Amino acid sequence: MLPVADPVSLIAALVVLFGVAAAVWLMMAVGLRESPWACASVAAANGALGASFLLHDALGLVPRMTYGWSDFLSVAAFGFIRVTVPLVGDRPAPWRATLFVIIGVGLLTALFTHGPETLPHKLILFGTMCVLALLAAVDAWRLMRARGLHVRAALLLASPLVVVGLLLLSRPLEAALAPGRTEDIDVASAFNLAWLWASLVLALLINGWIAFLLLMKLVLEIRRLTERDPLTDALNRRALSEAVDLEHSRLMRGHGYALVLLDLDRFKRLNDTLGHPAGDAALKSLVALLRPCLREVDRFARLGGEEFCVLLPDTGIAGAALVAERMRSLLAEHPFTWEGQAWPLTASFGIAESAPEDASAAEVLKRADQALYRAKGQGRNVVQAVELEPVPKPAR
């Protein structure tokens, strides 16, 4: 049984809830340096929803003919929710498309329907808000996947917006299945009471969910800073060591891997001639140029100075040689340019493949380092590999 309440009291409670939430998010937008535009967007969404319910004629504060403004603010609120998730992820927000939808739906509901009680009005209004909520859910899922979350975890975190979309869609569905039973949200019906109570719960849930997204963003940013090289954004030595050790633990289960070491040729001469800022730019250019050569499962790290390492899971010596040769030729074909001056940027590569008899990943790395030393000795800008000697079979 639902607690005893009337629709007007629940609408008033929603106005208060959205008003308080808008004030809190506005203070966060002013006081926090992290994602201020996202906080401002959430504040605007809460403010628009609060104003939408406040202007509803159920509270008796405005004439009934002003319901169009209430509809406009409702759609605008979900438009702000639609753009909030990209802002949390520091991605471009679809402002223009969202504004076009808000204005278009506002005109449609005002000019081509005959009031909030009609089915076409509900289909246009709540259908649009449902679509905006579901689009925000898709953005949230993509954001979570981009931050490295598993598919199921990403779906779970995006699910609150899906529930909101279904709640919105329930109003035109109810009007279509039971025409005339529930004209507007101020009608004291079981459906309206359930819908308004669900709206209260979901309003709290969505605000908490967006706060969680911002907190998660901070946590992941801190994690990224501890795992990444600050100059090139490649993995650092510690993160690579953890990834290689994890891959080595899979070796006994038949999952081999290969390591590719690469070292920029004559990097000191580049620094001495063009300056250290040019050297930093060259390192960043190398990472940006070579990343497309790798798969999603591969790991690219800076070991220090001008030396880098690539971890290639489930790859043998032949596959590693192909990757290294692709990287070598790509570097050789794209000279580095600094302040209008072109500088040939080449690297030497050493590759090694894991073997079941390797006691640790350090042995594989040692062989790759030997191959790199040999590549340097052969005149640089070459790929060298250390072949494993075949293990002799025991005599019968």
Side-chain angles (χ1 to χ4, degrees):
M1 294 291 292
L2 289 171
V4 178
D6 64 278
V8 176
S9 299
L10 291 173
I11 291 171
L14 283 167
V15 171
V16 173
L17 173 60
F18 286 126
V20 171
V24 171
W25 282 109
L26 189 59
M27 288 188 291
M28 291 176 65
V30 174
L32 290 182
R33 294 183 178 180
E34 188 67 30
S35 302
W37 286 108
C39 294
S41 182
V42 184
N46 279 282
L49 281 172
S52 172
F53 282 105
L54 186 67
L55 292 177
H56 196 278
D57 59 277
L59 298 181
L61 300 177
V62 293
R64 187 174 177 83
M65 63 182 295
T66 62
Y67 69 82
W69 285 107
S70 178
D71 296 343
F72 178 82
L73 289 169
S74 297
V75 178
F78 280 90
F80 281 116
I81 292 174
R82 167 74 177 92
V83 301
T84 293
V85 177
L87 290 173
V88 170
D90 296 323
R91 297 178 177 181
W95 288 107
R96 292 183 179 178
T98 304
L99 183 61
F100 177 79
V101 169
I102 293 171
I103 295 175
V105 172
L107 292 173
L108 280 174
T109 55
L111 299 177
F112 301 105
T113 64
H114 302 286
E117 298 86 0
T118 63
L119 179 59
H121 181 276
K122 291 181 179 179
L123 281 173
I124 295 172
L125 179 64
F126 290 99
T128 301
M129 291 190 288
C130 173
V131 170
L132 290 171
L134 294 179
L135 287 173
V138 172
D139 285 341
W141 181 82
R142 289 175 176 171
L143 175 63
M144 296 301 102
R145 291 291 293 145
R147 297 300 169 90
L149 265 69
H150 191 270
V151 174
R152 292 181 181 178
L155 287 173
L156 181 63
L157 288 175
S159 61
L161 282 172
V162 177
V163 176
V164 170
L166 295 176
L167 180 69
L168 292 165
L169 195 60
S170 68
R171 293 209 68 87
L173 285 176
E174 192 268 349
L177 296 174
R181 181 188 298 176
T182 304
E183 293 184 347
D184 207 353
I185 59 172
D186 58 345
V187 176
S189 67
F191 173 77
N192 269 344
L193 289 176
W195 195 87
L196 288 169
W197 275 112
S199 298
L200 275 168
V201 173
L202 287 173
L204 291 169
L205 178 63
I206 292 300
N207 279 283
W209 174 78
I210 296 175
F212 174 77
L213 283 185
L214 290 172
L215 178 62
M216 187 174 173
K217 177 187 176 183
L218 288 173
V219 171
L220 291 174
E221 182 65 19
I222 293 172
R223 178 183 173 185
R224 190 190 70 82
L225 291 173
T226 62
E227 293 181 343
R228 296 283 174 173
D229 171 56
L231 175 64
T232 64
D233 199 43
L235 292 177
N236 57 29
R237 179 185 287 269
R238 184 182 67 83
L240 177 72
S241 178
E242 292 177 357
V244 173
D245 288 341
L246 179 62
E247 202 60 40
H248 196 80
S249 67
R250 301 173 65 237
L251 185 59
M252 292 294 94
R253 299 195 296 272
H255 298 279
Y257 64 93
L259 294 178
V260 178
L261 284 182
L262 60 136
D263 190 271
L264 276 175
D265 299 327
R266 298 182 176 87
F267 185 67
K268 185 177 184 300
R269 184 185 300 176
L270 186 152
N271 273 332
D272 293 342
T273 305
L274 302 180
H276 288 282
D280 291 344
L283 294 175
K284 291 191 285 186
S285 175
L286 177 144
V287 173
L289 186 64
L290 299 187
R291 263 186 177 146
C293 298
L294 303 177
R295 304 166 298 175
E296 187 177 350
V297 296
D298 300 333
R299 296 292 178 264
F300 190 16
R302 182 187 181 195
L303 299 183
E306 67 273 22
E307 188 176 18
F308 295 82
C309 182
V310 180
L311 167 63
L312 302 171
D314 297 313
T315 305
I317 197 73
L322 287 174
V323 173
E325 179 58 31
R326 190 183 309 133
M327 289 180 164
R328 187 204 64 78
S329 60
L330 195 62
L331 271 176
E333 293 167 3
H334 293 79
F336 169 67
T337 302
W338 177 256
E339 295 181 347
Q341 182 176 349
W343 185 278
L345 206 60
T346 63
S348 301
F349 293 79
I351 58 179
E353 178 185 6
S354 62
E357 57 268 23
D358 289 325
S360 68
E363 296 184 16
V364 187
L365 186 62
K366 181 180 179 181
R367 291 198 298 273
D369 191 56
Q370 292 170 351
L372 176 61
Y373 182 79
R374 187 182 301 173
K376 289 286 187 181
Q378 290 184 351
R380 300 178 175 85
N381 191 27
V382 294
V383 176
Q384 268 294 332
V386 173
E387 297 285 351
L388 287 171
E389 296 182 3
V391 178
K393 295 182 180 180
R396 293 184 178 179

